[in-house]
Amino acid sequence: MPLLSVKNLTKSFGGLTAVSNANLTLNKGELVGLIGPNGAGKTTVFNLLTGVYVPSSGSIELSVGDNVRKINGLKPYNITRLGISRTFQNIRLFKDLTVLDNVRIAMHQNVKYGLISSFFRLPSYYREEQEVIKKAESLLEIFKLDTKKNELSRNLPYGEQRRLEIARALATNPSLLLLDEPAAGMNPNETAELTDLIDWIRKEFNLTILLIEHDMSLVMKICERLYVLDYGMIIAEGKPEEIKTNKRVIEAYLGEEVPHA
Amino acid sequence: MKQLFSFKNLKYSACVVALFGVIQLLISLNIFDDYYQITIATICINIILAVSLNLIAGFTGQFSLGHAGFMSIGAYACALITLNINSNYSFFLGIFVGAILSALLGFVIGIPTLRLKGDYLAIATLGMAEIIKIIAQNLEFTGGAAGLSDIPQYTNWVWLFFFTAGTVVVIKNFINSSHGRACVSIREDEIASEVMGINTTKYKVLAFVIGAFFAGIAGALYSTYFYVINPGLFGFLKSVDILVIVVIGGMGSIRGSIIASILLAIVSTYLQDFPEIRMILYSLILVVVMLAREFIKTKKINLDILNIKKYIKTNGAR
Amino acid sequence: MFSVKRLSLILVVIMLAATMFTACSQSSNTNSNEINVGLNYELSGAGATYGQDTVDGIMMAIDEINAAGGVLGKKINPIKQDNKTDPAEATSITTKLATKENVVAILGPATSGATKASIPVAVKNKVPLITGSATADDITVDAKGVKEYGYRICFNDSFQGTVMANFALKNMNAKSAVVLMDSSSDYGKGLAKNFRETFTKAGGTIVEDEAFIKGDKDFSAVLTKIKDKNFDILLISGYYNEAGLIIKQAKDMGINKPILGGDGFDSPDLAKLAGNSALSNVFFSTHYSLLDKDATVVKFMDEFKKKYNKDSNAFNALGYDLGYFIADAIKRANSEDPTKIKEAIDATEGFKGVTGKFSIDENHNPVKTAVVIELKDGAQVSALKIEP
Amino acid sequence: MEQFVQQLINGLSLGSIYALIALGYTMVYGIVKLINFAHGDIFMVGAYVGFVSITYFNMGFFPALLIAMLFCAVLGVVIEKVAYKPLRNASRITALITAIGVSLLLEYVVMFFAKAGVRTYPENVLPNLEMTILGVRITFTQVCIFAVTIALVILLQFIVHKTRVGKAMRAVSMDKDAAQLMGINVNNTISVTFAIGSALAGAAGILVGVYYNSIDPLMGIIPGLKAFVAAVFGGIGIIPGAMIGGFSIGAVETMVSGYGSSLYKDAVAFAILILVLIVKPSGLLGKNTREKV
């Protein structure tokens, strides 16, 4: 049973079709890349998977435990609760909040205490808040951000902001993690570090990862499978080595950015 | 349980009790006579209003220009109850019903309007408050334009302090809980917040409802302190007054709202001595304060830029 | 974090100090050569027109009194405060005047809301408070009894409403009326309510009940609506600011039915707003008539025009009377004790002011004659006295 | 039917005033994203300047109109330079509170000098003519107001769409930084916008003075609020939208007074506003924009 299966996914804005008839399958534990030239509709796919956009047609199914849930049309927060989490291409941290708060907010759905407890700080508040802090700190430790937990996230250097966004995404306790250009703007050293980190968290957290990335070294190194998107259509699917030699893919990239691998 | 009695909590509680004690002492020694007590009442009511609006506008980032509308619901409900039910409990019943009705209205109005953003939300909430005002102006049982008068004065310093401290504590606790953080995340980035599993509509409405609830309490206290209410009191300018306190104190700062409430009340008592040009001075102060604040802030930003330059210098250019 | 805390602490200290400072500085400004009288008025906000006009009248009276040697050998010192047309602010100011400024009496406020909020404070502090223009019936007396220290020297709504309804019924043989009231002021609503009650009780019908709010300028919609209706008279229950415009627009539109109103009409601005030609067949009740050629009235009007370079209106006149009224009470009390002054006010008998000769009844209202004035081409052409 | 047409005419002349004020609101909002609450008070100042010109300097209607517009234009620019410009990068709410402060300042400075009472324009500033067509009465003043409004709107459309300044205005309203990079003097463009918007408000002020014959220092609050409602109603930032919004609010108001209850005319106007916002948040003519994720 695949974790995620997307069938005939289409999204059009007015006359423009951003994604058309895309089919995608992710198996549990896979690390899959989604590549394609700029404007191909990769981020739109992420937005559709996370409910930020409502699909025009098609279906998205996610297996949750032993059930398969149709998630197209659900609100983003419901989808997150079912186990999909993501980062953003143009980092969307809660900039004026501390690093710790950023992670704690993402843990919101696991907090069970009610409003009354929060108003009057009943024992359940203290109990759960402590747990939240503990979890958040251990997560930050993994991303080497624990020493900066009280800093405002806007003050972090770029690379750390990227890492924090991944940490925040993990805090929602996802089964499927969508990473939107996690290495954008990083230098080769940082990228290499990040590559290892992604690989590590996948195993540690038992994740399935779908990754948008322009940095082909990263993609080729860690992705087990790739989907190639062009003009909103999936033009190729396969192992990295296969994709590298796929004619249509090379054509799609020509005049744009030849994959340097 | 241990944390409940933590040093920090104890310290805060001690401060609150001490503040109450000091003012109570000053009142019983008649150093704070009737006149100062009225000023204190105004301050307390403004603190409740400002802190509750801050929850909506400052923490949740929903720009509301209709807070006076919620206040009026609490004021009218409490006034009508205390005027018509002659019992020792009518004051509490009035406050309770006023706050609940106000919260209910916040819920009913919040659901459709909170889909709007920024200035559009502001103008919609402004319209909402105006509609409430016009309805109150034309209903028989609210006394029409004359409003209600001879409302028994139940509110006294003790209740004012109790409700003000209560409002501040409850809202502060809320902000520092997971629910409050959910609200703040909406202000920071609504889309990211939703993707992080937060039902943004629910939390926007919740902030609106809680804010309305406390505005209702403030209205109820107002009506049972100042004897008289009428629709004209709860117009656009009242909403603006509350917003001014929130902005001067700082969006998203409860401490700021409290300090600004006190400062503005003191400024207002000083301005009473300049009856002819009172409003001219007030408006000038308002403009100058806003400009000065921005001036100081940009200076700070400049300092930050220097720091970044320094940072780049010491860490080498990337 | 720490510095913010420290800062706020410093602020609190400064504020406490400041408050203390005002407490000390203010208790010292009693001057034994002067008698302090508080003026709690709407100098800003929606009621500023009425407040400022009344204060002009009061100040003129006090200047005259002081120029003539004051009362009890002392000058009257008016302590003017702005209540912003806000009941809470009016309460605060009344308290300040009563407790900090040692006033012997408080004049004002002009609007009913602010007055209602001020009277409980006056009662609590035992300082008489006299309003010149708050007309709501329950200002001085309500279900719980007479407000011990609250007085007024103007008509109340039920008196004027009844006067105009009876005038319409008896003098004009009116059977049907259109009521157009200022729904944003309790004066407008109170007058209309009492008119309606008396008029319908005597068999008249209200054909149309319409309203406007203070500041409205365009009444064409409502007037178009009533234009073709069948009615005998039009009651405009409001102040001259809007009434003048309504009369103008109504006449322009060809509505030539008689127009009735209360003392809110009594201002030279009515003619300016409506235009002299439109001001015919207009009747309103007020305190005094220019046809009387009463020496007090003529003198007041001349002096007022000289002093302020404009014609006086009812608010100016009521304010002027307030000044003399309180001086008279202080003189008769022969004391600066507010309680004694209150007793003197209670005993007022036949006080002669610009707005008529009046006594104060047990409900703290003036007993005075109303005059119904007819306007023709902007000028007063007849005056009918109506005893209370 | 006759009555309906009459009410429509009444609504249009009232709406013209709202439209003129709304235009200034919408232009300023379009370019600096500021709800300029002082705009209603500039309208009031215009009325007073007209009053002074006509009463004390015995000017005719058109010279007075020009002077009022000129004075308000200067006032608008001064306010922008002194109070708003330093806040251009501040939070919107800071600018809003400042605008409210400026609004109060204008109101009470005028009240200080002119007192709170009403002032009346002399009669017959415009000839007191009227005509009746099929039972519908139209006065010369109404025609004038309508004509002046339409003329000014056409002029404005011309400025915005056919002149260099207009092009600059549109560019700045779309992207201030890009406009700057393209060599547009952003500061001057914003000043011009304030000048034009304020001049229109000044024109509305004198028209109100002539039409209704009554002005007072607080006269700007309610029309200002309603004009803003009109601007949002039509789609804020859009010039034809402000005009349509102005006429709509005017018409709604008179229709509610004429056929419903005059007590609730303002409530209905606000209720419609809220409904419009909920159904189409960007106003009647506004385009819905999507946030890029």
Side-chain angles (χ1 to χ4, degrees):
Chain A
M1 186 172 60
L3 179 70
L4 181 82
S5 76
V6 175
K7 292 192 187 100
N8 298 325
L9 187 66
T10 301
K11 174 72 189 174
S12 45
F13 301 106
L16 182 90
T17 306
V19 175
S20 83
N21 277 321
N23 290 300
L24 228 103
T25 313
L26 297 181
N27 296 316
K28 269 191 188 129
E30 265 190 311
L31 203 171
V32 177
L34 180 61
I35 61 170
N38 281 331
K42 302 180 297 276
T43 299
T44 307
V45 170
F46 271 25
N47 286 337
L48 290 167
L49 294 182
T50 50
V52 175
Y53 293 160
V54 178
S56 306
S57 65
S59 79
I60 307 170
E61 284 172 351
L62 182 75
S63 67
V64 181
D66 293 333
N67 304 317
V68 174
R69 290 281 304 265
K70 210 167 156 214
I71 60 165
N72 40 322
L74 288 185
K75 291 270 189 190
Y77 57 86
N78 282 326
I79 293 176
T80 309
R81 274 169 211 185
L82 293 175
I84 301 184
S85 192
R86 71 176 283 189
T87 65
F88 295 88
Q89 184 178 355
N90 47 338
I91 309 182
R92 296 185 85 127
L93 288 169
F94 305 123
K95 289 214 170 70
D96 283 318
L97 300 182
T98 62
V99 169
L100 183 66
D101 277 346
N102 266 279
V103 177
R104 282 204 286 179
I105 286 166
M107 297 170 105
H108 175 73
Q109 49 178 329
N110 301 325
V111 171
K112 296 286 175 291
Y113 65 81
L115 276 177
I116 303 296
S117 300
S118 79
F119 289 152
F120 302 110
R121 301 214 163 163
L122 301 182
S124 62
Y125 166 85
Y126 286 107
R127 201 173 48 236
E128 291 198 37
E129 279 293 299
Q130 234 175 9
E131 223 165 277
V132 165
I133 292 181
K134 221 193 300 173
K135 263 196 201 154
E137 282 177 345
S138 64
L139 204 56
L140 287 174
E141 218 177 290
I142 294 170
F143 287 86
K144 294 195 197 118
L145 290 165
D146 49 330
T147 52
K148 298 196 165 177
K149 66 177 181 187
N150 289 325
E151 267 186 52
L152 292 189
S153 61
R154 68 157 66 248
N155 294 339
L156 293 185
Y158 187 80
E160 287 181 356
Q161 290 198 9
R162 282 256 175 239
R163 290 215 301 271
L164 176 56
E165 230 198 354
I166 300 174
R168 186 181 69 173
L170 283 177
T172 65
N173 211 4
S175 53
L176 171 62
L177 180 62
L178 311 179
L179 298 175
D180 200 343
E181 298 198 27
M186 287 188 174
N187 63 29
N189 273 345
E190 285 172 327
T191 307
E193 237 173 83
L194 186 78
T195 313
D196 295 341
L197 186 66
I198 291 172
D199 209 31
W200 186 81
I201 53 169
R202 168 164 72 129
K203 285 169 196 133
E204 180 70 20
F205 292 92
N206 206 3
L207 287 173
T208 309
I209 295 178
L210 181 63
L211 177 96
I212 295 177
E213 189 49 67
H214 278 297
D215 189 324
M216 286 303 150
S217 64
L218 190 154
V219 172
M220 294 298 162
K221 187 169 165 204
I222 58 171
C223 291
E224 290 151 0
R225 229 153 34 91
L226 291 179
Y227 283 95
V228 187
L229 206 59
D230 192 28
Y231 290 110
M233 278 177 283
I234 291 190
I235 54 167
E237 186 245 311
K239 298 231 158 64
E241 310 82 67
E242 296 166 15
I243 294 294
K244 242 191 278 187
T245 53
N246 185 310
K247 229 176 168 184
R248 281 191 70 186
V249 175
I250 294 168
E251 266 168 34
Y253 271 96
L254 270 184
E256 233 249 11
E257 182 188 355
V258 184
H260 48 87
Chain B
M1 225 39 208
K2 219 193 299 165
Q3 296 91 342
L4 186 62
F5 299 107
S6 69
F7 178 64
K8 201 170 153 195
N9 276 358
L10 284 177
K11 199 175 69 178
Y12 271 116
S13 316
C15 282
V16 170
V17 171
L19 183 66
F20 176 79
V22 167
I23 296 181
Q24 180 64 53
L25 186 73
L26 288 170
I27 287 173
S28 46
L29 291 175
N30 212 22
I31 296 173
F32 276 1
D33 55 15
D34 282 0
Y35 177 54
Y36 290 124
Q37 286 183 41
I38 289 181
T39 310
I40 291 174
T42 311
I43 291 174
C44 288
I45 290 168
N46 281 347
I47 289 176
I48 300 179
L49 288 169
V51 169
S52 57
L53 180 61
N54 213 337
L55 173 65
I56 298 171
F59 288 101
T60 316
Q62 305 303 305
F63 190 178
S64 165
L65 269 179
H67 216 51
F70 296 125
M71 184 189 175
S72 73
I73 300 292
Y76 272 101
C78 187
L80 285 169
I81 286 172
T82 50
L83 279 170
N84 293 315
I85 301 174
N86 213 340
S87 139
N88 290 335
Y89 302 107
S90 60
F91 172 54
F92 302 104
L93 185 68
I95 289 194
F96 183 72
V97 172
I100 293 289
L101 280 182
S102 178
L104 214 62
L105 187 79
F107 181 73
V108 172
I109 289 171
I111 287 181
T113 50
L114 283 168
R115 290 174 47 202
L116 302 171
K117 291 194 167 62
D119 297 337
Y120 294 109
L121 177 63
I123 191 80
T125 49
L126 188 160
M128 176 272 305
E130 286 294 307
I131 291 174
I132 294 174
K133 186 181 107 183
I134 294 166
I135 290 174
Q137 226 161 40
N138 292 314
L139 285 180
E140 216 35 68
F141 71 94
T142 56
L148 299 168
S149 52
D150 286 311
I151 305 161
Q153 192 187 42
Y154 284 106
T155 304
N156 56 26
W157 149 248
V158 178
W159 289 121
L160 282 167
F161 187 85
F162 173 78
F163 282 109
T164 310
T167 305
V168 172
V169 168
V170 166
I171 291 188
K172 219 175 156 60
N173 284 350
F174 175 75
I175 293 299
N176 288 323
S177 75
S178 186
H179 304 289
R181 286 194 297 268
C183 288
V184 178
S185 74
I186 296 172
R187 172 193 76 191
E188 290 293 307
D189 189 328
E190 196 170 332
I191 286 175
S193 158
E194 190 143 4
V195 169
M196 288 309 129
I198 284 155
N199 182 344
T200 50
T201 314
K202 174 181 153 191
Y203 278 98
K204 277 198 267 183
V205 174
L206 185 66
F208 218 58
V209 167
I210 296 173
F213 181 88
F214 286 107
I217 289 183
L221 292 173
Y222 183 99
S223 69
T224 49
Y225 191 86
F226 290 111
Y227 313 103
V228 176
I229 50 169
N230 59 47
L233 284 173
F234 305 110
F236 163 63
L237 283 175
K238 184 73 192 174
S239 298
V240 166
D241 281 346
I242 308 167
L243 192 65
V244 164
I245 297 175
V246 173
V247 173
I248 286 187
M251 299 280 274
S253 161
I254 287 179
R255 193 196 311 264
S257 290
I258 295 172
I259 293 175
S261 301
I262 298 170
L263 277 181
L264 279 182
I266 289 174
V267 166
S268 172
T269 57
Y270 273 109
L271 289 182
Q272 280 181 356
D273 294 332
F274 305 94
E276 252 93 28
I277 49 169
R278 175 174 189 173
M279 289 305 288
I280 299 181
L281 291 177
Y282 174 74
S283 49
L284 268 180
I285 290 172
L286 198 58
V287 173
V288 170
V289 165
M290 297 320 284
L291 289 176
R293 252 175 45 119
E294 193 56 26
F295 183 71
I296 293 167
K297 225 171 154 189
T298 39
K299 276 249 161 128
K300 248 193 202 152
I301 287 171
N302 283 342
L303 289 176
D304 281 349
I305 289 169
L306 284 181
N307 284 341
I308 289 170
K309 276 187 191 154
K310 226 193 254 164
Y311 179 78
I312 291 171
K313 252 182 214 161
T314 47
N315 292 298
R318 285 167 186 276
Chain C
M1 203 53 188
F2 186 66
S3 66
V4 174
K5 243 181 219 169
R6 183 173 277 186
L7 189 74
S8 52
L9 189 75
I10 293 168
L11 272 174
V12 169
V13 170
I14 292 172
M15 281 171 325
L16 278 177
T19 328
M20 292 298 169
F21 179 71
T22 39
C24 300
S25 71
Q26 269 169 0
S27 49
S28 61
N29 72 6
T30 35
N31 186 331
S32 56
N33 292 323
E34 288 180 338
I35 298 173
N36 290 344
V37 172
L39 271 57
N40 178 354
Y41 273 101
E42 292 80 349
L43 301 178
S44 60
T49 332
Y50 320 127
Q52 292 188 1
D53 280 350
T54 314
V55 168
D56 280 349
I58 297 174
M59 295 306 283
M60 176 171 158
I62 290 178
D63 287 350
E64 285 179 12
I65 294 163
N66 285 343
V71 280
L72 308 179
K74 292 177 179 181
K75 293 248 166 18
I76 293 177
N77 175 32
I79 297 173
K80 216 190 309 181
Q81 300 270 299
D82 173 18
N83 65 32
K84 307 200 289 184
T85 325
D86 175 355
E89 192 67 27
T91 313
S92 159
I93 281 169
T94 308
T95 313
K96 183 179 178 190
L97 290 170
T99 62
K100 297 246 169 283
E101 309 283 1
N102 299 315
V103 297
V104 300
I106 293 165
L107 306 180
T111 54
S112 294
T115 310
K116 282 177 184 167
S118 299
I119 285 181
V121 181
V123 173
K124 191 172 166 195
N125 291 293
K126 297 200 187 314
V127 175
L129 180 141
I130 314 152
T131 171
S133 51
T135 55
D137 282 359
D138 55 355
I139 290 276
T140 56
V141 57
D142 65 8
K144 287 179 210 132
V146 178
K147 311 283 174 64
E148 215 185 334
Y149 282 81
Y151 296 86
R152 76 172 130 215
I153 63 160
C154 51
F155 301 123
N156 60 13
D157 291 335
S158 55
F159 177 66
Q160 273 199 89
T162 314
V163 163
M164 287 324 287
N166 285 329
F167 181 81
L169 289 161
K170 289 179 191 136
N171 298 57
M172 312 188 76
N173 276 321
K175 297 273 179 296
S176 54
V178 168
V179 173
L180 190 49
M181 68 173 175
D182 178 351
S183 69
S184 63
S185 83
D186 39 6
Y187 169 71
K189 289 198 112 169
L191 188 60
K193 176 168 161 269
N194 288 296
F195 176 88
R196 219 179 278 135
E197 277 169 16
T198 316
F199 194 72
T200 48
K201 208 180 273 169
T205 47
I206 307 289
V207 181
E208 196 74 51
D209 229 329
E210 290 294 337
F212 56 90
I213 58 167
K214 186 180 160 51
D216 276 1
K217 295 205 187 310
D218 195 312
F219 306 93
S220 53
V222 164
L223 292 172
T224 305
K225 185 174 170 185
I226 64 174
K227 191 181 162 196
D228 300 325
K229 292 262 158 72
N230 202 356
F231 61 96
D232 295 329
I233 58 135
L234 167 64
L235 175 81
I236 303 175
S237 180
Y239 294 108
Y240 59 88
N241 313 32
E242 290 80 26
L245 295 175
I246 296 173
I247 294 171
K248 175 177 182 254
Q249 292 173 22
K251 299 277 157 141
D252 277 354
M253 213 172 262
I255 300 175
N256 287 314
K257 302 279 164 61
I259 293 174
L260 272 59
D263 61 345
F265 276 25
D266 195 357
S267 164
D269 285 332
L270 186 77
K272 284 194 200 153
L273 290 165
N276 284 337
S277 54
L279 271 190
S280 287
N281 214 3
V282 173
F283 303 85
F284 64 94
S285 69
T286 186
H287 312 266
Y288 61 97
S289 158
L290 305 179
L291 299 170
D292 254 3
K293 299 278 177 244
D294 180 282
T296 331
V297 175
V298 174
K299 178 174 161 277
F300 163 72
M301 295 199 20
D302 290 347
E303 295 287 324
F304 188 89
K305 177 132 202 192
K306 232 184 274 167
K307 188 174 171 95
Y308 294 108
N309 196 25
K310 63 178 182 189
D311 288 316
S312 58
N313 62 23
F315 286 101
N316 300 136
L318 285 163
Y320 184 76
D321 278 0
L322 270 179
Y324 273 101
F325 183 79
I326 191 62
D328 173 66
I330 296 169
K331 205 184 294 168
R332 282 186 292 113
N334 197 17
S335 159
E336 292 174 37
D337 176 8
T339 323
K340 294 253 171 63
I341 294 172
K342 177 218 179 294
E343 284 162 11
I345 295 174
D346 280 333
T348 306
E349 199 68 58
F351 171 81
K352 177 82 182 67
V354 172
T355 64
K357 192 170 167 183
F358 59 87
S359 311
I360 295 292
D361 69 10
E362 73 280 1
N363 286 337
H364 293 185
N365 289 325
V367 185
K368 61 176 169 183
T369 333
V371 189
V372 177
I373 287 176
E374 180 186 356
L375 293 175
K376 191 169 185 193
D377 291 326
Q380 302 193 351
V381 288
S382 77
L384 178 73
K385 287 203 170 168
I386 295 183
E387 300 294 334
Chain D
M1 188 59 206
E2 225 171 71
Q3 203 190 2
F4 180 79
V5 177
Q6 181 73 60
Q7 295 288 28
L8 204 62
I9 304 250
N10 296 337
L12 283 185
S13 41
L14 181 65
S16 307
I17 309 277
Y18 291 152
L20 275 183
I21 310 175
L23 283 171
Y25 253 123
T26 232
M27 288 174 69
V28 166
Y29 189 89
I31 206 155
V32 284
K33 299 285 173 290
L34 163 73
I35 305 178
N36 181 13
F37 268 111
H39 194 69
D41 300 291
I42 292 178
F43 152 78
M44 175 271 295
V45 170
Y48 270 86
V49 172
F51 170 75
V52 171
S53 323
I54 290 175
T55 332
Y56 296 116
F57 297 100
N58 289 321
M59 284 184 206
F61 172 70
F62 285 102
L65 178 71
L66 273 181
I67 296 225
M69 288 175 75
L70 205 66
F71 187 91
C72 288
V74 174
L75 180 67
V77 173
V78 169
I79 290 174
E80 196 273 326
K81 292 269 181 229
V82 174
Y84 301 154
K85 196 178 159 208
L87 299 176
R88 216 171 271 165
N89 297 317
S91 69
R92 306 248 293 258
I93 211 158
T94 308
L96 182 86
I97 298 290
T98 313
I100 288 167
V102 172
S103 152
L104 288 173
L105 188 65
L106 289 177
E107 282 162 21
Y108 286 99
V109 166
V110 171
M111 191 186 278
F112 183 75
F113 289 108
K115 295 293 233 174
V118 290
R119 295 297 176 118
T120 47
Y121 270 53
E123 277 184 85
N124 304 329
V125 177
L126 287 172
N128 207 349
L129 301 171
E130 63 173 72
M131 52 185 165
T132 311
I133 305 167
L134 299 170
V136 176
R137 199 182 64 100
I138 304 170
T139 66
F140 181 66
T141 322
Q142 280 177 328
V143 175
C144 260
I145 288 182
F146 193 71
V148 169
T149 305
I150 296 294
L152 288 174
V153 168
I154 291 172
L155 183 70
L156 187 64
Q157 278 290 51
F158 175 79
I159 293 175
V160 169
H161 288 283
K162 302 281 178 212
T163 62
R164 274 181 68 89
V165 180
K167 213 179 262 177
M169 277 154 83
R170 281 181 293 148
V172 174
S173 76
M174 273 174 207
D175 189 330
K176 222 185 296 168
D177 299 325
Q180 182 119 41
L181 290 175
M182 298 313 286
I184 292 171
N185 186 332
V186 171
N187 282 337
N188 282 357
T189 309
I190 291 177
S191 293
V192 169
T193 309
F194 268 88
I196 295 177
S198 305
L200 291 176
I206 193 166
L207 286 177
V208 161
V210 170
Y211 185 35
Y212 298 116
N213 192 20
S214 149
I215 59 171
D216 65 88
L218 303 182
M219 69 187 272
I221 301 177
I222 299 290
L225 216 54
K226 287 199 189 142
F228 180 54
V229 167
V232 175
F233 186 85
I236 199 155
I238 302 161
I239 287 171
M243 209 180 67
I244 291 172
F247 286 131
S248 312
I249 297 288
V252 164
E253 229 175 78
T254 43
M255 291 300 161
V256 173
S257 301
Y259 296 99
S261 165
S262 46
L263 290 164
Y264 287 101
K265 66 178 160 64
D266 292 353
V268 171
F270 282 114
I272 289 181
L273 168 83
I274 294 177
L275 280 180
V276 166
L277 284 180
I278 288 170
V279 176
K280 196 160 185 305
S282 48
L284 282 182
L285 300 187
K287 287 196 204 83
N288 283 318
T289 48
R290 174 190 309 278
E291 195 182 353
K292 188 150 167 43
V293 185

